[in-house]
Amino acid sequence: MKKENNSRPLILVTNDDGIKAGGLEFLVKVLKQFGDVVIVAPNESYSGMSHAITVKTPLYAKLVKEKGGVKLYKVTGTPVDCVKLAINVLLDRKPDLLVSGINHGTNSSISLHYSGTVGAAREGALNQIPSIGFSLLNYRHDADFTEASRIAEHVVKVVINDKLPSGTFLNVNIPDCDPVKGARVARQSKGKWVEEFVEREDPRGRKYYWLTGHFENMETEAKDTDEYYLNKGYAAIVPCQLDATNFNLLPYMKEQNYEL
Amino acid sequence: MKKENNSRPLILVTNDDGIKAGGLEFLVKVLKQFGDVVIVAPNESYSGMSHAITVKTPLYAKLVKEKGGVKLYKVTGTPVDCVKLAINVLLDRKPDLLVSGINHGTNSSISLHYSGTVGAAREGALNQIPSIGFSLLNYRHDADFTEASRIAEHVVKVVINDKLPSGTFLNVNIPDCDPVKGARVARQSKGKWVEEFVEREDPRGRKYYWLTGHFENMETEAKDTDEYYLNKGYAAIVPCQLDATNFNLLPYMKEQNYEL
């Protein structure tokens, strides 16, 4: 690919709901004012794919359209595949910013571990690119992203100036209300999914299970968590790190004779 | 399912290489001495699946065999699906310990983000179960897990006594040498994957891409990381946390006007 001379920031956009998702369209409208936008997104929904990569099959990438200066590629893989393929193959220079979303549904608290939207943002950070994942707390296809777009615009503007410290990405969740009261920096709440599997029988008489269940916030008294602010009508901005080490435990484990 | 009276610890075993993997067999041999073992693992290899869950299709689970008191279930899903299905459907009581592996190949440094082996251990911790992921730095099917088994035995023995603090799981990587010199508590090294996609053309003339690439340790001078100890011939035990919040950044972000 030819290298273009361009001083506008290059913004890579992806998601996990696929190229036809409404949240993606709203996000691109916001981002066009800040730089040159290239969309590289899954050809279909890849919800719940976390940080998964495709290792057993090859990937196809296709330029679907170029409209208003925005190229849209679809990829036959996960959100993280999309980021890797964009950076290594499809783009002619390293993006200055990666934005993932706007996801249809929440990725707050521990849900970030399951999220393909967040996975893509984490992969951006692993490639030393300032990266943000946006999610709206509304799962419906016809969700209204107007307020979410306003919040995204604010956060993107700050990140473009700040660049974000290395090794960090943002997980931004936005409540489904109008107006959204504002945006607050928060920590990830402790929570759990209370799982329920629906058990059914297929036409051949074999039992099968659908994953379902609901989230429970385990820190209902805390006033500095993403869950707290979302419940109060504020967007929650959680700075997330790539390093999973629990540093507080290192001396404890040495005392407990984990070493051999 | 009937509740059995049993004072031996219940140990749930899973992996991401599938029910036929050699590493799984070695692990079960180690674990049988510590408690009652139930294996719930993917029916085939789910490498690189991270913390992914299956949301678009239902899951099937089948009791493949019961041998020497060990039940083996295969599941048509990811390692995290296996853990969820085991806890919610297949087991008659909550496991006292979850062990994932022994993975064929490394999951040190940032590779933990892509790993299904680690994903399963993280899911155990999300369910308040002491959980460990083991990986051997040898990708081959015929890898020798003898030394890795010895290390696993030591770590499991300590975890059964210690239980591990809540919100923490262990990512244990074991070098492919004989003898392994010992085991060291370590932090996750900073690293990156230098990606290379192999580009080919299919019989219909369409370009496709295979993910490949190699890992680069970004902290070659550090002497407290998993990469350091692995290179020295020691197993590396990294205590990992479920909370991804970068707490150091919270005040910084407020100063930078991220809030609205």
Side-chain angles (χ1 to χ4, degrees), chain B residues 120-133:
Chain B
R122 190 188 295 108
E123 183 63 25
L126 284 166
N127 285 279
Q128 291 85 48
I129 299 166
S131 298
I132 317 164

Side-chain angles (χ1 to χ4, degrees), chain A residues 8 13 28 42 49 65 76 88 103 106 152 182 188 191 200 202 240-241 243 254:
Chain A
R8 296 193 82 202
V13 185
V28 169
M49 284 307 278
K65 64 178 178 183
T76 60
N88 287 283
N103 189 62
T106 181
Q188 179 187 317
R200 291 188 186 147
D202 74 10
C240 298
Q241 58 192 21
D243 189 344
K254 287 176 189 179

Side-chain angles (χ1 to χ4, degrees), chain A residues 84 114 123 162 195 252, chain B residues 84 114 123 162 195 252 258:
Chain A
K84 286 184 180 288
Y114 305 96
E123 183 63 25
D162 177 39
E195 309 299 340
Y252 169 86
Chain B
K84 285 182 180 288
Y114 305 96
E123 183 63 25
D162 177 40
E195 309 299 340
Y252 169 86
Y258 274 88

